[in-house]
Amino acid sequence: MILGIGSDLANIERIAKTIERFGDRFKNRVFTETERAKAERRRDVAGTYAKRWAAKEACSKALGTGLAMGISWKDMAVSNLKTGQPVMQVTGWAADRLAEMTPDGYEAIIHVTLTDDHPWAQAFVVIEARSKLP
């Protein structure tokens, strides 16, 4: 069963200008250490940050809150499996919200996909509830 769907489109050039203007202050406020390390290793640093920005926005929408109800940017974090597939982890208030919206007897699975085509970065997040029963 689908619990939530979110999407977001971010402008890579806007994220690049924000990084240029605020530097580490912006990066440290929005992104986890793992996300920053991944982005800084990439050829397209701003594009990598923009995709993760879009993923956080999309996740907050899938949680049904947007970024308004106390959710923190760092409560949502994108990492990658060894295959390259992006995955979303939630902690803090986002994890509490996810638990609240997941029916008893189900586990929540967060699906995320990222793409970019300069100057745009896009993310989709689908939150699925799967039965814990075999």
Side-chain angles (χ1 to χ4, degrees):
M1 124 184 26
I2 302 299
L3 299 178
I5 299 172
S7 68
D8 193 67
L9 185 66
N11 185 287
I12 296 169
E13 293 170 1
R14 182 177 143 244
I15 296 296
K17 287 177 185 172
T18 302
I19 291 169
E20 206 174 283
R21 182 172 178 199
F22 296 105
D24 286 342
R25 193 171 109 202
F26 167 71
K27 293 176 194 176
N28 293 334
R29 182 175 156 254
V30 175
F31 302 99
T32 66
E33 186 177 325
T34 301
E35 290 171 314
R36 292 190 310 270
K38 171 80 172 186
E40 297 299 329
R41 287 192 309 266
R42 303 297 297 265
R43 186 170 39 100
D44 183 9
V45 173
T48 302
Y49 279 121
K51 285 187 282 191
R52 278 149 178 75
W53 172 279
K56 291 168 184 272
E57 288 274 8
C59 184
S60 71
K61 293 170 185 174
L63 289 167
T65 64
L67 284 159
M69 296 175 57
I71 199 166
S72 165
W73 287 103
K74 288 185 178 181
D75 284 347
M76 301 164 291
V78 178
S79 61
N80 295 84
L81 301 176
K82 289 183 184 206
T83 61
Q85 176 183 346
V87 292
M88 177 73 69
Q89 297 87 26
V90 292
T91 58
W93 193 90
D96 294 343
R97 172 67 180 141
L98 183 62
E100 175 185 297
M101 63 192 286
T102 304
D104 290 338
Y106 287 80
E107 64 180 334
I109 310 294
I110 302 175
H111 304 276
V112 61
T113 186
L114 309 172
T115 192
D116 64 292
D117 187 5
H118 196 88
W120 301 107
Q122 186 174 35
F124 287 97
V125 171
V126 175
I127 302 175
E128 171 191 10
R130 285 190 192 157
S131 175
K132 291 181 181 179
L133 300 175

